[in-house]
Amino acid sequence: MLNKLADFFKGNKESAEQMYLRENNIQFDTEQGYIVDGIVVNSLSERLEYFSNRKLNNFDDLKALFYKAILMNEKIDLEIGSSRYVARLGNTEENLQQLKQIIQKLNDYYKKFKRDK
């Protein structure tokens, strides 16, 4: 009886991946895609397309995002550093920093749990 109870509670433990997603406030919705910190990241697809030089148009492909992130971060940093924001995208320093954080969280998730070892 005691072993059955112990096995029951072991089965309810979160996996490392589930814990990471919860701690970093990342969710996945089959219709909307990834949601990070309450933001449906595919709603930022126009910014993603701009900063990836039209290589990416949504956040669903974490592998492609991972490999384009260095270029994207450089372009974001350049825009922040020059303080010349793209008006048609509504870019500001705050929302560009937020975009960098979202990209970083998704890249860390991909690197830890989704990338082939």
Side-chain angles (χ1 to χ4, degrees), residues 97-113:
Q97 291 291 353
Q98 183 182 52
L99 178 61
K100 281 183 70 168
Q101 289 175 345
I102 289 169
I103 291 169
Q104 184 63 46
K105 284 183 178 185
L106 290 175
N107 281 341
D108 289 345
Y109 173 63
Y110 172 76
K111 189 171 30 175
K112 288 181 180 181
F113 301 105

Side-chain angles (χ1 to χ4, degrees), residues 53-97:
N53 293 331
R54 293 187 292 267
K55 303 282 190 230
L56 302 173
N57 58 10
N58 64 48
F59 287 85
D60 295 338
D61 186 357
L62 293 182
K63 181 178 182 179
L65 180 66
F66 180 78
Y67 288 109
K68 299 288 182 209
I70 293 173
L71 169 72
M72 293 172 53
N73 281 325
E74 286 179 5
K75 285 185 75 173
I76 292 169
D77 288 340
L78 182 62
E79 190 165 318
I80 291 171
S82 69
S83 296
R84 298 181 68 195
Y85 303 109
V86 177
R88 71 177 173 82
L89 297 175
N91 289 351
T92 64
E93 182 176 352
E94 293 81 26
N95 63 26
L96 291 179
Q97 291 291 353

Side-chain angles (χ1 to χ4, degrees), residues 38-56:
I39 299 168
V40 178
V41 293
N42 282 333
S43 67
L44 305 174
S45 62
E46 196 172 4
R47 279 193 191 117
L48 176 68
E49 193 170 344
Y50 173 77
F51 286 112
S52 70
N53 293 331
R54 293 187 292 267
K55 303 282 190 230
L56 302 173

